[in-house]
């Protein structure tokens, strides 16, 4: 387990986020359109409880079938609009996410072609593969399911609080009475799941490294008769990866039902307190029903924000590893391969400047190795004090 895989990093790093947002700059118009669609979708969702209130107070209560028909038709129209906005928003963010993944993987592959051989001697290929696959996928999840949803959830929370305060300030206070429970549950979940996600990343890198080394060196494994020993090692690594995922699933299985339980407690308090207001202080039944619906919607963004925090945390760790690779020192003799470089099929490129020199047509004399030592980075000697002619 390398130190690089063990490091946790910050839950939010402004420097890394700035670099990540740079990959969204070419698609800023799509991102702006997605933000507008998210706001429109949230506004449509906020109207559902209000329509329920109007239907109960002015339609059902006064036996006004025509008004009730209008409210039902309006409700169906809003549902259709919400479906269309959700579809449009998903299409936009998925397209942007795939474009960002394409750009990142292309840049990473171009970088790998310019790294010195010593880098690949120090870093297992399985770990490098994890950078180009798993870590880039995590960043795609941040773009597609994180940024837009985070913005939408925050807007939804603010809108719900404003709507609830305009309906009844006392019932809003009753709803907020359970917020300390939400804070405690969320903090406990966040601390536990942070460690479990870090463990999953470490186990996945180990799994990829072990698989790559064994599959590429299978002839050596069979020649040394190590099948049984390597199979046992793989079983242990695979079991560790399974257990890490099961621990994360356990935290999710506990957290979300607990959050729903807190929401149910809030609804029960509203029914208990609001029911008395309906009977004694004159608030309408439609107001109580709308308030219950707003309360149920209030806890969904909180649950989503907790999940988005974990996506953000994973993305910070993945981006740190990706940018560490992109910041690696390049081989100064490597050929330039810029973003716009086009190489015709069959074109021979000299990989190193030394090989580009013209060799003599004929060479004479002996070739002698006189006490030769060689290592990548001076750490692990490949040749030690070798002499021959």
């Amino acid at each position: 387990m390398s130190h690089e895989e063990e490091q946790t990093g910050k839950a939010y790093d402004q420097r890394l986020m700035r670099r990540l947002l740079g990959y969204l700059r070419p698609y800023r118009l799509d991102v702006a359109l997605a933000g507008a669609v998210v706001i429109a979708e949230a506004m449509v969702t906020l109207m559902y409880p209000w329509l329920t209130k109007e239907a109960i107070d002015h339609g059902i209560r006064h036996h006004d079938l025509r008004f009730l028909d209008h409210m039902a038709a309006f409700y169906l129209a809003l549902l259709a609009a919400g479906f269309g906005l959700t579809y449009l928003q998903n299409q936009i963010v998925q397209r942007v996410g795939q474009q960002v993944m394409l750009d990142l993987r292309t840049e990473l592959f171009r970088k790998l072609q310019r790294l010195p051989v010593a880098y690949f001697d120090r870093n297992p290929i399985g770990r490098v593969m994890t950078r180009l696959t798993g870590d880039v996928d995590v960043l795609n999840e941040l773009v597609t399911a994180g940024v837009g949803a985070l913005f939408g959830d925050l807007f939804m929370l603010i809108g719900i609080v404003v709507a609830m305060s305009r309906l009844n300030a006392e019932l809003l206070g009753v709803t907020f009475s359970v917020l300390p429970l939400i804070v405690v549950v969320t903090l406990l979940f966040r601390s536990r799941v942070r460690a479990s996600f870090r463990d999953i990343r470490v186990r996945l890198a180990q799994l990829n490294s072990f698989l790559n080394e064994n599959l590429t060196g299978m002839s050596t494994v069979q020649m040394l008769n190590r099948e049984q020993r390597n199979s046992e090692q793989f079983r242990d690594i695979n079991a560790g990866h399974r257990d890490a995922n099961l621990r994360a699933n356990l935290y999710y299985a506990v957290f979300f039902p607990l959050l729903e339980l807190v929401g149910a407690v809030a609804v029960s308090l509203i029914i208990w307190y609001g029911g008395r207001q309906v009977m004694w202080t004159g608030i309408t039944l439609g107001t109580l029903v709308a308030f219950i619906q707003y309360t149920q919607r209030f806890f969904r963004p909180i649950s989503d924000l907790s999940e988005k925090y974990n996506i953000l945390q994973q993305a910070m760790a993945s981006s740190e590893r990706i940018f560490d690779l992109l910041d690696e020192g390049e081989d100064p003799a490597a050929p330039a391969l810029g973003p716009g470089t086009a190489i015709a099929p069959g074109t021979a490129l000299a990989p190193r400047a030394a090989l580009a020199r013209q060799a003599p047509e004929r060479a004479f004399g002996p070739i002698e190795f006189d006490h030769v030592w060689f290592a990548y980075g001076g750490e692990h000697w490949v040749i030690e004090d070798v002499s021959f002619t």
Side-chain angles (χ1 to χ4, degrees):
M1 185 184 305
S2 68
H3 173 72
E4 178 189 3
E5 298 295 339
E6 286 182 313
Q7 60 189 3
T8 307
K10 302 177 183 178
Y12 177 79
D13 191 315
Q14 187 176 359
R15 177 184 59 86
L16 292 177
M17 183 56 71
R18 253 196 323 267
R19 292 187 69 174
L20 282 176
L21 292 178
Y23 289 91
L24 291 174
R25 193 171 294 117
Y27 316 105
R28 52 186 174 273
L29 293 180
D30 287 335
V31 173
L33 179 59
V37 172
V38 166
I39 293 177
E41 182 185 0
M43 293 177 67
V44 168
T45 304
L46 288 171
M47 293 184 67
Y48 296 150
W50 177 81
L51 287 178
T52 303
K53 171 186 175 300
E54 293 297 307
I56 293 174
D57 290 342
H58 300 288
I60 298 175
R61 186 178 179 185
H62 297 290
H63 306 283
D64 190 342
L65 293 179
R66 186 176 179 182
F67 184 84
L68 198 60
D69 291 341
H70 290 163
M71 287 295 101
F74 193 22
Y75 200 100
L76 288 174
L78 285 178
L79 286 175
F83 171 80
L85 290 169
T86 302
Y87 171 81
L88 181 60
Q89 187 247 350
N90 286 332
Q91 286 293 316
I92 295 172
V93 297
Q94 288 294 334
R95 183 171 63 246
V96 171
Q98 293 299 322
Q99 288 290 345
V100 170
M101 285 177 65
L102 173 66
D103 296 342
L104 254 180
R105 285 204 175 108
T106 302
E107 186 175 353
L108 284 168
F109 187 76
R110 188 180 296 115
K111 179 71 178 186
L112 289 172
Q113 290 181 300
R114 295 183 54 79
L115 291 178
V117 178
Y119 176 85
F120 300 97
D121 185 67
R122 295 192 309 267
N123 295 274
I125 298 302
R127 188 183 304 156
V128 178
M129 287 289 295
T130 304
R131 299 291 169 272
L132 272 76
T133 55
D135 286 329
V136 174
D137 283 336
V138 171
L139 297 187
N140 174 57
E141 189 175 4
L142 175 67
V143 174
T144 57
V147 177
L150 177 66
F151 184 66
D153 288 337
L154 289 173
F155 185 85
M156 181 71 73
L157 273 177
I158 295 172
I160 289 175
V161 171
V162 171
M164 292 168 73
S165 63
R166 296 191 64 178
L167 282 176
N168 191 288
E170 292 183 37
L171 290 179
L172 179 62
V174 173
T175 304
F176 280 3
S177 66
V178 300
L179 284 182
L181 289 175
I182 295 177
V183 172
V184 171
V185 171
T186 303
L187 289 177
L188 287 175
F189 168 75
R190 190 176 68 181
S191 62
R192 299 294 189 278
V193 83
R194 183 180 186 183
S196 68
F197 276 136
R198 183 172 70 250
D199 195 22
I200 289 174
R201 290 194 300 270
V202 171
R203 304 286 183 178
L204 181 60
Q206 288 179 332
L207 191 64
N208 287 338
S209 297
F210 188 87
L211 281 173
N212 181 269
E213 291 170 2
N214 278 264
L215 292 178
T216 55
M218 186 57 69
S219 58
T220 305
V221 172
Q222 294 175 348
M223 183 176 61
L224 297 177
N225 197 26
R226 286 183 55 93
E227 293 92 342
Q228 182 63 31
R229 183 180 300 178
N230 286 20
S231 178
E232 293 173 356
Q233 291 179 357
F234 178 75
R235 189 182 300 113
D236 293 339
I237 295 173
N238 200 19
H241 182 256
R242 175 204 61 196
D243 294 341
N245 278 280
L246 288 177
R247 279 192 296 272
N249 291 333
L250 174 64
Y251 295 139
Y252 274 103
V254 172
F255 172 71
F256 289 108
L258 271 179
L259 207 57
E260 290 190 11
L261 177 62
V262 173
V265 170
V267 171
S268 64
L269 288 174
I270 290 172
I271 294 174
W272 173 76
Y273 188 83
R276 283 162 172 74
Q277 284 193 323
V278 171
M279 291 185 291
W280 297 335
T281 61
I283 71 167
T284 64
L285 179 61
T287 299
L288 179 61
V289 172
F291 210 95
I292 292 173
Q293 291 183 347
Y294 277 127
T295 301
Q296 291 171 334
R297 284 172 166 79
F298 177 76
F299 290 98
R300 291 177 194 170
I302 294 178
S303 174
D304 290 341
L305 286 173
S306 300
E307 190 170 0
K308 299 307 179 289
Y309 175 84
N310 297 320
I311 294 176
L312 175 65
Q313 184 175 285
Q314 293 179 72
M316 288 296 101
S318 295
S319 62
E320 185 171 3
R321 291 194 292 271
I322 286 175
F323 291 136
D324 282 344
L325 173 55
L326 290 175
D327 293 337
E328 279 283 339
E330 298 180 357
D331 188 338
L337 293 174
T341 303
I343 302 174
T347 302
L349 292 178
R352 299 291 181 266
L355 298 180
R357 297 195 202 96
Q358 288 289 337
E361 292 184 2
R362 300 184 63 184
F364 300 93
I367 298 175
E368 181 179 358
F369 279 63
D370 184 15
H371 300 287
V372 175
W373 293 68
F374 175 75
Y376 293 116
E379 297 174 359
H380 305 289
W381 292 103
V382 179
I383 299 176
E384 300 182 23
D385 197 20
V386 173
S387 299
F388 63 87
T389 302

